[in-house]
Amino acid sequence: NEEQGSSSKHLDLTLSKGIFNFPEFMRETAGSRGALEYPPLSSWFLPNQSWTSITNQVTQFNTQDLKIIYLVRHGEGEHNAAETKYGTEYWDDVISKTMKYFDASLTRKGKEQCEYQRLNMNIHMDQYDMPLDTIVVSPLRRTIETASIMFEDVIAKEDRNQRMTITNGNTPPKKISIIADEYCRETLGVHTCDERHNVSYLESTYPYVDFSMMETDDDTWWSASHRETNLEMDARARVFLHRLFQRDYAASTKAGSSGQFIAVVTHSGFIQACVRALGGGDYKPANAEVIPLAVVRKTNDVVSSLGIYGRSGGGEEDDSFSLVSYMIMVCLLCTLTSVVMKYGSYVSSVWKKESGNRRRQRQRGYEAVLGFSDDDERVDEMGSVSLSI
């Protein structure tokens, strides 16, 4: 993919530590949330932080150097409920491969989760001025349904042709449009819940979603015989993050906004891949959870003003550095092993030499006392054979 190759060379993305409480907070709470399925959005703030102060910080920088990305996991899907019902092993081996859960939709519980988050997001946006410029979704039904419910009060619900007529194709809409992007899909392959409908069906079912960035009508990315690996997912996540910085999302950006605040409605596996790709460790979000990240391009201005976490999140330079570091570690390990083996061999030879000397000394003592040599054989008074030691 030409775009994938080019984008991985230009940007070196990572996480800013000067805006949100990440990744320490995520690592501390992952897997131990208790009764609360996910932390409230405000818990990601640093001390004395607010949406107003965050907006002031972010808008000081070029939109190509810093973006706030709200990673949103879809609400509970039919496939999630099925895995809970049948167990992960039986789900993975049997149920997930049937067509029953093809391009799974939200359950009733999943829709309620999204409705709860809609109220929560409205409080943040209406009362505390949480900024939002663009909404990007995975082109699967459960993510589109999640975005449609969670952001119902801020999205443009006219179909795309009507919006283009209203705006004459030039002025961005007053409300925020939803744009579908293939790159932020869930783990590809084998599980039919992660296979999408063709774009023709999706356009007719969700006319207010912009599918113009989709490359093919049919789902040519999904394979029945290969499940995407973590390495493949991480590579795709890096491409997607670069697209957020490089692609023109003007058609889906709210009028008069900077385009720096982007909601990405996606999946658990892909969110994990994005966090890993940005150097933030491993964190599995709950259904309908929102994770705000300050993603920065490594430039002198950003580094000096906001600070960044030490590990980079992508780009050719970072991958090369990782490979070089790995090779150096291998060489050091081999050298250390060689030294230990040589030292061990030396110690062993000394020990054998000393043992031989002691053995000969003992032998000479026995010979002096018993009166026979190493090669002799004597019969004691009991009639048994006594061999020299």
Side-chain angles (χ1 to χ4, degrees):
N1 188 305
E2 183 179 348
E3 179 181 17
Q4 179 170 341
S6 61
S7 61
S8 65
K9 294 178 181 178
H10 294 138
L11 301 181
D12 192 7
L13 303 178
T14 188
L15 294 167
S16 166
K17 64 180 180 181
I19 296 181
F20 292 116
N21 190 15
F22 175 88
E24 284 80 6
F25 175 75
M26 297 179 75
R27 287 170 176 160
E28 290 171 2
T29 58
S32 59
R33 300 186 182 98
L36 184 64
E37 290 191 353
Y38 49 80
L41 197 56
S42 57
S43 63
W44 298 98
F45 288 5
L46 294 172
N48 302 316
Q49 189 74 284
S50 68
W51 285 120
T52 301
S53 62
I54 290 172
T55 302
N56 291 337
Q57 277 183 290
V58 171
T59 52
Q60 293 176 20
F61 298 94
N62 188 292
T63 184
Q64 298 304 314
D65 290 335
L66 171 64
K67 291 186 185 293
I68 301 299
I69 301 176
Y70 310 113
L71 292 176
V72 182
R73 185 187 177 191
H74 61 78
E76 182 191 69
E78 296 167 335
H79 63 304
N80 298 135
E83 182 176 356
T84 301
K85 177 181 178 181
Y86 294 108
T88 299
E89 184 176 357
Y90 190 61
W91 163 260
D92 285 339
D93 293 343
V94 180
I95 304 298
S96 67
K97 301 173 184 177
T98 68
M99 294 303 293
K100 182 176 182 179
Y101 297 100
F102 168 74
D103 196 0
S105 292
L106 295 179
T107 62
R108 179 177 179 179
K109 178 182 177 181
K111 293 177 181 178
E112 291 173 351
Q113 291 170 335
C114 296
E115 180 63 26
Y116 174 82
Q117 275 289 39
R118 181 183 74 86
L119 299 175
N120 185 39
M121 297 292 278
N122 281 350
I123 291 174
H124 278 274
M125 287 188 283
D126 295 341
Q127 298 183 22
Y128 301 108
D129 296 322
M130 172 184 171
L132 178 61
D133 302 330
T134 305
I135 301 172
V136 180
V137 298
S138 158
L140 295 174
R141 290 193 296 177
R142 58 188 180 272
T143 45
I144 298 174
E145 291 168 0
T146 294
S148 301
I149 297 172
M150 195 176 294
F151 299 106
E152 179 181 1
D153 300 307
V154 297
I155 62 174
K157 275 297 185 78
E158 304 91 352
D159 65 56
R160 184 167 181 266
N161 291 330
Q162 185 178 356
R163 289 202 308 275
M164 295 301 286
T165 302
I166 293 173
T167 63
N168 197 29
N170 296 318
T171 307
K174 293 182 179 179
K175 284 195 170 185
I176 307 169
S177 302
I178 301 176
I179 186 164
D181 193 327
E182 196 97 77
Y183 280 87
C184 61
R185 290 174 58 174
E186 181 57 295
T187 311
L188 296 166
V190 183
H191 294 187
T192 58
C193 59
D194 302 322
E195 183 179 6
R196 69 164 171 80
H197 282 80
N198 59 41
V199 173
S200 301
Y201 166 85
L202 295 172
E203 284 181 328
S204 63
T205 307
Y206 310 103
Y208 51 90
V209 177
D210 183 354
F211 293 96
S212 62
M213 290 181 62
M214 303 291 289
E215 297 173 356
T216 58
D217 186 51
D218 294 329
D219 187 359
T220 58
W221 288 32
W222 188 89
S223 168
S225 59
H226 174 68
R227 184 75 170 164
E228 204 172 16
T229 65
N230 280 350
L231 287 177
E232 291 169 333
M233 283 282 286
D234 292 355
R236 178 158 62 87
R238 284 194 292 270
V239 173
F240 173 73
L241 292 166
H242 294 163
R243 284 163 70 88
L244 290 184
F245 277 75
Q246 294 180 323
R247 297 288 294 224
D248 182 11
Y249 284 93
S252 62
T253 301
K254 185 171 61 176
S257 65
S258 65
Q260 288 179 275
F261 298 87
I262 305 173
V264 178
V265 186
T266 180
H267 311 264
S268 172
F270 190 74
I271 289 175
Q272 289 177 283
C274 286
V275 174
R276 285 195 304 265
L278 291 167
D282 194 17
Y283 180 80
K284 184 176 182 179
N287 287 117
E289 182 173 354
V290 180
I291 302 173
L293 303 179
V295 180
V296 297
R297 183 179 180 183
K298 279 188 174 179
T299 63
N300 292 334
D301 290 342
V302 175
V303 172
S304 60
S305 298
L306 297 177
I308 58 174
Y309 287 101
R311 190 176 141 203
S312 175
E316 198 170 58
E317 180 181 353
D318 181 64
D319 295 339
S320 301
F321 176 77
S322 298
L323 180 59
V324 170
S325 300
Y326 173 75
M327 295 303 296
I328 291 174
M329 289 176 63
V330 170
C331 291
L332 289 175
L333 183 60
C334 290
T335 303
L336 180 60
T337 303
S338 176
V339 170
V340 170
M341 290 180 67
K342 288 180 179 179
Y343 180 73
S345 177
Y346 169 75
V347 171
S348 177
S349 65
V350 171
W351 181 83
K352 288 180 179 178
K353 183 177 180 180
E354 290 298 320
S355 298
N357 291 337
R358 287 194 296 269
R359 179 180 179 277
R360 284 189 290 273
Q361 290 173 356
R362 287 198 305 271
Q363 185 66 40
R364 286 193 291 271
Y366 296 148
E367 291 173 357
V369 173
L370 300 175
F372 59 83
S373 68
D374 201 34
D375 298 326
D376 292 334
E377 195 176 80
R378 299 286 186 268
V379 178
D380 61 19
E381 296 178 351
M382 302 294 294
S384 61
V385 176
S386 297
L387 297 179
S388 60
I389 299 175

